[in-house]
Amino acid sequence: APNPSWLTPISSYFGDAAELAPRGSLLAPTLIHGAGLAVCWLAGALAAKMYERDAFTVKQEVEEQSSLQRRRSATGILDEIGRYDKILVRLFQAGAFASGILIVSTQMDLLLEFKGYVQYGESAETDLRLLVGTVEVINDIFWEALVIGSWRIIHANFMSSPDNRLKR
């Protein structure tokens, strides 16, 4: 599999004198790519109002069932998931907005790279670049959703405990 298009070492800009490139020549491109993803997800979080208390507070249980009985029944699992409804809805809204920004920015990057509209089938070069770009977008969306979604749920559990809310 080819390297991602954004992972071009700094040494490639030095031409034949690659030994002049500093150590860690892959660090800068990785940080730049990560910053771009962070901007997309920050915009998504702001659009979905993820800063409001409802977006990271788990609903409290109203039943007085034991946790063992609740885990054994199918409705108990649905009730448990239902406690996270607002968190999950806001998470999906933020993710959809961030994914849209990432897709549009990737389209703009390809438009500027090829100096015009391109599509599959024009040439082997454009097909490879479009395929790499498609795979990159899919991977970025999947891994960012997995990491940020996991963090949001863990953070919501942590902040929903009365002891943890009082600590600052």
Side-chain angles (χ1 to χ4, degrees):
N3 281 338
S5 62
W6 52 266
L7 193 58
T8 304
I10 294 174
S11 61
S12 67
Y13 297 111
F14 288 94
D16 293 334
E19 63 275 357
L20 296 177
R23 286 188 176 173
S25 62
L26 295 176
L27 182 63
T30 304
L31 290 175
I32 291 168
H33 180 71
L37 292 176
V39 167
C40 292
W41 282 95
L42 179 63
L46 291 174
K49 298 181 181 178
M50 295 289 277
Y51 51 84
E52 293 180 346
R53 183 172 296 275
D54 287 346
F56 57 88
T57 304
V58 179
K59 291 180 186 174
Q60 297 299 319
E61 295 181 61
V62 291
E63 300 175 6
E64 293 297 326
Q65 281 183 326
S66 72
S67 63
L68 183 61
Q69 289 174 338
R70 188 176 355 98
R71 288 185 185 145
R72 287 184 182 162
S73 69
T75 57
I77 293 170
L78 295 176
D79 289 340
E80 193 67 29
I81 293 172
R83 293 177 57 206
Y84 292 88
D85 62 348
K86 288 187 180 181
I87 297 168
L88 293 174
V89 166
R90 297 267 182 108
L91 186 62
F92 289 131
Q93 287 174 343
F97 192 87
S99 298
I101 291 174
L102 180 61
I103 290 168
V104 167
S105 63
T106 302
Q107 290 290 326
M108 288 175 41
D109 180 47
L110 291 170
L111 184 71
L112 293 173
E113 182 178 334
F114 288 107
K115 297 178 180 49
Y117 177 77
V118 292
Q119 58 187 3
Y120 285 106
E122 288 186 10
S123 72
E125 177 191 349
T126 59
D127 285 354
L128 178 64
R129 179 61 182 102
L130 291 176
L131 182 63
V132 168
T134 302
V135 170
E136 286 174 6
V137 167
I138 291 169
N139 286 338
D140 287 341
I141 290 171
F142 174 78
W143 289 109
E144 288 286 326
L146 182 71
V147 170
I148 292 176
S150 300
W151 180 84
R152 271 315 258 201
I153 291 172
I154 291 169
H155 184 256
N157 282 329
F158 180 77
M159 291 304 293
S160 292
S161 171
D163 296 335
N164 294 331
R165 273 193 305 240
L166 298 176
K167 293 179 184 175
R168 292 204 177 189

